[in-house]
């Protein structure tokens, strides 16, 4: 009974640490998202911080187990656990809210360090540190199963947040619940630490004292390098595949959870025991997957959701089974356990940083997946270096992957006019030429999402296209605006199509977070320079800019900033609506572009409008009379219902059915899962 209780204590400590470790990441990032905007930027910076602290935690575990007596380890660790309680509850202080003059990257890193730094550090140390203590017990042969348990807890945490936690609680409630959970973890971890140091008779006073009879040889440098490179490539492929499927296949909400879940699941399988990873099965599967995924990068099967999604999600699972399976085969004797985990963590951080931070600045488009596939084939050569025919096969696979990557790059450069990429994503412009020269168009896209197009014929280049035709919600709102000079706000620029509605005397104030969008709108399209309106430009997150500005007195404000396939959440909250209304004339209209294949966002906006005492209607346009326009949904919001029934809006607008149960979205609570169609 005592033995089972001790093992349960070890398991509970490791499970709770891993569960809380993955739970805090979306929780803290959602708290600061409305302050900084640009969801991709905020999440990327947060991920860099979390990976860096995780690496520091593994380095700490490796150092203390090799240099401190067990009781000194216990004293240090319990002291840090007590100190970390001062960081609770997990709520970001208002003093960290930006003023607009700071570098947001350093401000985000600073507030993360001050808010969650020590608790996150201690959570990240728990797995390797407790396993190093288990290695001193009679159950040392099962020590790597605790690593599998840790990844299982991470997987459960990842899946539970969007499904169970986010829809049922506010951010404040989540923060308070997490803080209570961390307090429980601190008690478990302190108990485990003291038990190992003072009450477990099999623990030696000095690291290695009871391991003198251990005849395990020190790991060889080639193996140590593989400890680094195998998990680095798994992390690389995880982010690269996630980017590819979300940008080029389908911008489906929560789609990023699927590859991350499979990535963690391969850790669970490969480190639970040796029965799951079999070379004879996964080597030929991995070879076939490498060729298929590389081929799909330059063929339509790789971008069609029906074929591309199973190819790349299934391919990621197979390749991560190979990479993590070979890593598990190389695991050393328990005395080198913490060093092994340190290299795994370093590899994961390096792979993530190369794709998340380096690639956007050095690659003009999403080419990191093709590079990662070729590198995976090369690392297979290193793993299988003792078998000549396998080495030759690996080199041939790498060459095949490299060939398809070259074809992909050549296709992009031959068919596009401009490829541009930065922190906010990859943009491409290209011309589509049809039989009739009058129908030639130039298109701007961000992955699989179209951000505007323009006719190349000088006689037609001022025609509104795509989502902005005269019968669309925004087109009708423009027509219903006051007859005199109008002041129009645009959140999100795209190709600049809405500027085509500008008349002499009008003023259009454009808010755009990505400077490259301004650059392409000026160099590749003529909507802005052809417009008769006066154009004002504001670079940066629209909500932050509007919060700082004096009231603008807009007749019309269009919220049309898309991140992936939907408006960023922080632009669709009650607090955001307060900002918009402050800038509107008494009879002004706020127009929300809610066209979406996967989310039903009209009720979300309508609930917020109802909360604020505003009127909201939906204008749906199937654009069936024009092959140059897309079907659209726009929600129009005004202070008085009469404003939404004037002019071109009369008869076109319809009421919005509100759900009975969903709560209005705020900065403190939003439920993306509840908005799925």
């Amino acid at each position: 009974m005592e033995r089972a209780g001790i093992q349960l204590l070890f398991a509970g400590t490791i499970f709770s640490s891993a569960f809380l470790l993955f739970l805090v990441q979306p929780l803290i990032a959602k708290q600061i998202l409305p302050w900084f905007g640009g969801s991709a930027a905020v999440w990327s910076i947060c991920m860099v911080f979390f990976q860096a602290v995780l690496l520091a935690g593994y380095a700490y575990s490796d150092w203390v187990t090799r240099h401190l007596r067990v009781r000194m380890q216990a004293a240090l660790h319990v002291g840090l656990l007590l100190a970390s309680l001062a960081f609770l509850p997990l709520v970001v202080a208002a003093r960290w809210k930006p003023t607009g003059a700071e570098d947001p990257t350093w401000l985000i890193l600073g507030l993360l360090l001050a808010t969650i730094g020590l608790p996150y550090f201690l959570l990240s140390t728990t797995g390797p540190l407790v396993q190093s203590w288990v290695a001193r017990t009679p159950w040392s042969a099962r020590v790597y199963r605790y690593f599998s348990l840790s990844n299982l807890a991470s997987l459960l945490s990842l899946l539970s947040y969007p499904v169970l936690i986010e829809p049922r609680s506010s951010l404040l409630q989540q923060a308070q619940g997490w803080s209570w959970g961390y307090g429980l973890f601190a008690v478990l971890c302190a108990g485990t630490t003291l038990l190992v140091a003072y009450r477990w008779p099999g623990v030696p006073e000095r690291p290695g004292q009871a391991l003198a009879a251990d005849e395990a040889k020190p790991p060889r440098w080639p193996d140590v390098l593989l400890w680094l490179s195998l998990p680095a490539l798994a992390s690389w492929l995880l982010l690269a595949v996630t980017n590819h499927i979300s940008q080029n296949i389908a911008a489906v909400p929560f789609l990023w959870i699927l590859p991350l879940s499979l990535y963690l699941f391969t850790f669970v399988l490969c480190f639970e025991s040796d029965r799951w990873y079999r070379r004879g099965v996964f080597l030929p599967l991995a070879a076939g997957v490498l060729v298929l995924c590389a081929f799909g990068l330059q063929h339509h099967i790789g971008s069609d959701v029906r074929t591309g999604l199973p190819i790349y999600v299934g391919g990621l699972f197979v390749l991560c089974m190979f990479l993590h399976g070979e890593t598990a085969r190389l695991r050393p004797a328990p005395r080198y356990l913490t060093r092994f985990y340190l290299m795994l963590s370093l590899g994961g951080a390096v792979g993530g940083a190369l794709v998340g931070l380096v690639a956007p600045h050095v690659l003009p488009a999403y080419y990191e997946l093709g590079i990662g596939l070729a590198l995976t084939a090369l690392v297979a050569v290193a793993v299988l270096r003792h078998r000549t025919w396998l080495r030759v096969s690996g080199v041939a696979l790498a060459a095949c992957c490299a060939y398809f990557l070259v074809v992909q790059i050549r296709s992009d450069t031959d068919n596009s006019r401009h490829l541009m990429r930065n922190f906010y994503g990859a943009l491409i412009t290209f011309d589509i030429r049809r039989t009739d020269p009058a129908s030639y168009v130039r298109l701007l896209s961000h992955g699989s999402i179209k951000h505007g197009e323009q006719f190349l014929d000088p006689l037609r280049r001022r025609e509104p296209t795509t989502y902005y035709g005269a019968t669309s919600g925004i087109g009708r709102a423009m027509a219903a605006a006051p007859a005199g000079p109008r002041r129009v706000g645009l959140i999100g620029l795209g190709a600049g199509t809405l500027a085509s509605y500008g008349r002499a005397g009008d003023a259009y104030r454009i808010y755009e977070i990505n400077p490259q969008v301004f650059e392409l709108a000026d160099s590749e399209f003529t909507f802005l320079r052809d417009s008769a309106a006066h154009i004002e430009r504001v670079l940066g997150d629209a909500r932050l800019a509007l919060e700082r500005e004096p009231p603008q007195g807009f007749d019309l404000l269009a919220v049309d900033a898309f991140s992936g396939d939907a408006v960023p959440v922080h632009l669709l909250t009650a607090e955001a609506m307060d900002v918009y209304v402050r800038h509107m004339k008494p009879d002004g209209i706020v127009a929300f572009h809610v066209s979406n294949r996967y989310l039903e966002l009209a009720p979300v906006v309508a609930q917020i409008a109802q909360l604020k005492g505003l009127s909201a209607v939906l204008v749906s346009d199937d654009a069936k009379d024009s092959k140059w326009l897309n079907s659209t949904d726009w929600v129009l919001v005004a202070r008085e219902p009469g404003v939404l029934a004037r002019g071109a809006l009369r008869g076109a607008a319809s009421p919005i059915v509100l759900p009975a149960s969903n709560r209005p979205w705020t900065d403190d609570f939003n439920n993306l899962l509840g908005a799925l169609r």
Side-chain angles (χ1 to χ4, degrees), residues 610-632:
Q610 183 185 60
L611 177 68
K612 298 298 179 180
L614 305 170
S615 298
V617 296
L618 174 67
V619 178
S620 293
D621 177 32
D622 58 14
K624 61 183 179 181
D625 295 330
S626 173
K627 58 183 178 180
W628 310 115
L629 299 175
N630 299 89
S631 60
T632 57

Side-chain angles (χ1 to χ4, degrees), residues 52-64:
V53 177
L54 186 68
L55 177 59
Y58 277 47
Y60 162 88
S61 301
D62 180 60
W63 187 88
V64 299

Side-chain angles (χ1 to χ4, degrees), residues 164-174 572-575 600-601 603-611 658-672 674-675:
L164 300 176
I165 297 173
E166 186 183 33
R168 292 172 171 80
S169 57
S170 68
L171 275 175
L172 180 60
Q173 292 170 332
Q174 293 169 30
L572 287 177
T573 66
E575 292 84 352
E600 188 69 55
L601 293 175
V604 172
V605 178
Q607 279 188 312
I608 296 170
Q610 183 185 60
L611 177 68
L658 297 179
S661 57
N662 286 356
R663 295 161 53 184
W665 286 12
T666 66
D667 289 346
D668 189 49
F669 173 85
N670 47 77
N671 178 16
L672 203 60

Side-chain angles (χ1 to χ4, degrees), residues 2-321:
E2 180 184 6
R3 179 173 178 172
I6 292 172
Q7 288 182 307
L8 185 61
L9 179 61
F10 287 151
T13 302
I14 289 176
F15 186 94
S16 62
S17 69
F19 191 89
L20 291 170
L21 193 73
F22 259 70
L23 192 61
V24 74
Q25 297 181 17
L27 194 159
I28 198 74
K30 282 194 67 175
Q31 284 191 41
I32 65 175
L33 185 63
W35 292 358
F36 294 93
S39 57
V42 174
W43 278 97
S44 295
I45 296 169
C46 288
M47 285 304 298
V48 169
F49 173 83
F50 291 134
Q51 287 184 320
V53 177
L54 186 68
L55 177 59
Y58 277 47
Y60 162 88
S61 301
D62 180 60
W63 187 88
V64 299
T65 55
R66 290 192 293 113
H67 293 90
L68 298 181
R69 297 170 181 265
V70 176
R71 290 185 178 178
M72 285 297 296
Q73 295 177 34
L76 174 62
H77 206 65
V78 171
L80 289 174
L81 284 169
L82 291 174
S84 70
L85 297 177
F87 285 72
L88 304 181
L90 184 65
V91 178
V92 182
R95 67 177 181 273
W96 288 102
K97 192 169 183 179
T99 63
E102 315 92 340
D103 182 337
T105 298
W106 292 109
L107 185 59
I108 291 173
L109 292 175
L111 74 84
L112 289 173
L113 185 63
T115 303
I116 194 59
L118 186 56
Y120 194 88
F121 172 80
L122 288 169
L123 289 171
S124 67
T125 68
T126 302
L129 194 58
V130 172
Q131 287 176 69
S132 74
W133 295 336
V134 173
R136 303 167 182 275
T137 71
W139 312 301
S140 61
R142 305 177 65 186
V143 65
Y144 284 105
R145 299 189 74 176
Y146 286 101
F147 185 62
S148 177
L149 176 66
S150 173
N151 283 281
L152 177 61
S154 301
L155 177 60
L156 292 176
S157 177
L158 172 71
L159 296 176
S160 67
Y161 185 80
V163 176
L164 300 176
I165 297 173
E166 186 183 33
R168 292 172 171 80
S169 57
S170 68
L171 275 175
L172 180 60
Q173 292 170 332
Q174 293 169 30
Q176 292 171 339
W178 188 93
S179 299
W180 281 106
Y182 183 82
L184 176 61
F185 154 77
V187 172
L188 285 174
C189 192
T192 301
T193 305
L194 295 174
L195 172 68
V196 168
Y198 293 99
R199 297 181 59 189
W200 182 251
V203 176
E205 277 297 311
R206 294 180 180 276
Q209 180 180 331
L211 301 174
D214 189 351
E215 297 179 358
K217 296 180 181 179
R220 298 172 301 168
W221 275 108
D223 290 341
V224 173
L225 291 176
L226 287 174
W227 293 353
L228 174 72
S229 56
L230 289 168
L233 278 172
S235 177
W236 179 309
L237 291 177
L238 166 66
L239 294 182
V241 166
T242 303
N243 283 340
H244 179 73
I245 63 177
S246 61
Q247 297 292 332
N248 299 313
I249 297 179
V252 181
F254 303 112
L255 190 58
W256 60 272
I257 291 178
L258 183 58
L260 182 55
S261 300
L262 293 176
Y263 169 86
L264 291 172
F265 189 49
T266 60
F267 264 126
V268 174
L269 293 179
C270 293
F271 283 86
E272 190 275 332
S273 72
D274 292 333
R275 59 183 170 171
W276 300 107
Y277 174 69
R278 302 296 178 90
R279 270 188 174 177
V281 173
F282 282 98
L283 278 182
L285 278 177
V289 160
L290 282 173
V291 174
L292 184 59
C293 288
F295 175 76
L297 292 176
Q298 49 83 53
H299 191 272
H300 68 84
I301 66 167
S303 56
D304 188 315
V305 67
R306 295 167 298 180
T307 54
L309 197 57
I311 286 174
Y312 288 102
V313 172
L316 178 68
F317 175 77
V318 170
L319 293 175
C320 282
M321 280 296 294

Side-chain angles (χ1 to χ4, degrees), residues 570-588:
H570 74 289
L571 299 179
L572 287 177
T573 66
E575 292 84 352
M577 186 70 80
D578 287 336
V579 174
Y580 304 147
V581 172
R582 184 173 70 88
H583 288 278
M584 304 306 297
K585 289 181 179 178
D587 60 346

